[in-house]
Amino acid sequence: GIQVEQSPPDLILQEGANSTLRCNFSDSVNNLQWFHQNPWGQLINLFYIPSGTKQNGRLSATTVATERYSLLYISSSQTTDSGVYFCAGPSGGSYIPTFGRGTSLIVHP
Amino acid sequence: KAGVTQTPRYLIKTRGQQVTLSCSPISGHRSVSWYQQTPGQGLQFLFEYFSETQRNKGNFPGRFSGRQFSNSRSEMNVSTLELGDSALYLCASSYQGGGANVLTFGAGSRLTVL
């Protein structure tokens, strides 16, 4: 099946810093999503981004489908951004997304 | 619009028992997927139901089963619980159309097996 690699696995920031999270896929994907898992375990949709760039406040995402990667940018990070960020996407004719192992982000005040 | 509702949120069982978890999807969503999340294995796909039919299945033993009702609500059952079944069980619903499958997750059911 498809392999999803996320980097870095862990990230520690001071409040106000910017960061870039990366997601690489071993095969072409569609329906790519980014999620944030909060400390209580809830997975929150951030972006549905099969290709191109989208922005939502301090967050933006870019997917380059032809090169099989996606990036999540977090600007002016806040302590509430802490948690684990996952990317996921299915490949081929499947609807079922495969998840990466996540990037664990800690933002210190 | 109500989100995805999972019940119960927390439960403790002992080895050998069985457990049933419930998931109510977003109104209008006909697909419900279940995932198991553990620190060691990450998020692993269990199964997906669409219009009361299991359409996809992950690589889990037969002790894990599920079903979907005509109102799209879904249940999953784990029989003969093992310590390794302790995990966060996440349900996601989606409206599949136009080639898109955008998942929305519930808050999860955290199962502890003693």
Side-chain angles (χ1 to χ4, degrees), chain A residues 19-96:
Chain A
S19 61
T20 301
L21 282 57
R22 186 178 180 105
C23 183
N24 288 335
F25 292 87
S26 61
D27 200 352
S28 59
V29 296
N30 45 51
N31 298 309
L32 193 148
Q33 283 187 265
W34 282 96
F35 298 90
H36 173 221
Q37 188 167 39
N38 64 26
W40 298 272
Q42 171 112 45
L43 275 165
I44 309 294
N45 291 344
L46 294 177
F47 293 100
Y48 165 71
I49 184 164
S51 64
T53 297
K54 287 187 179 179
Q55 178 148 11
N56 184 5
R58 296 180 296 104
L59 273 58
S60 65
T62 295
T63 295
V64 184
T66 53
E67 297 189 21
R68 304 175 185 172
Y69 73 88
S70 185
L71 302 173
L72 178 69
Y73 306 95
I74 305 174
S75 64
S76 304
S77 57
Q78 300 175 357
T79 56
T80 52
D81 295 332
S82 297
V84 184
Y85 290 81
F86 291 96
C87 61
S91 66
S94 172
Y95 274 114
I96 306 304

Side-chain angles (χ1 to χ4, degrees), chain B residues 1 4 19 30 46 48 57 72 100 106:
Chain B
K1 200 175 191 181
V4 180
V19 66
R30 291 195 292 165
L46 281 157
E48 183 226 3
K57 188 177 190 305
S72 292

Side-chain angles (χ1 to χ4, degrees), chain B residues 6-12 19-22 89 108-111:
Chain B
Q6 289 190 247
T7 57
R9 291 292 314 280
Y10 302 92
L11 64 168
I12 299 173
V19 66
T20 298
L21 309 178
S22 178
Y89 290 87
S109 293
R110 192 171 295 275
L111 170 66

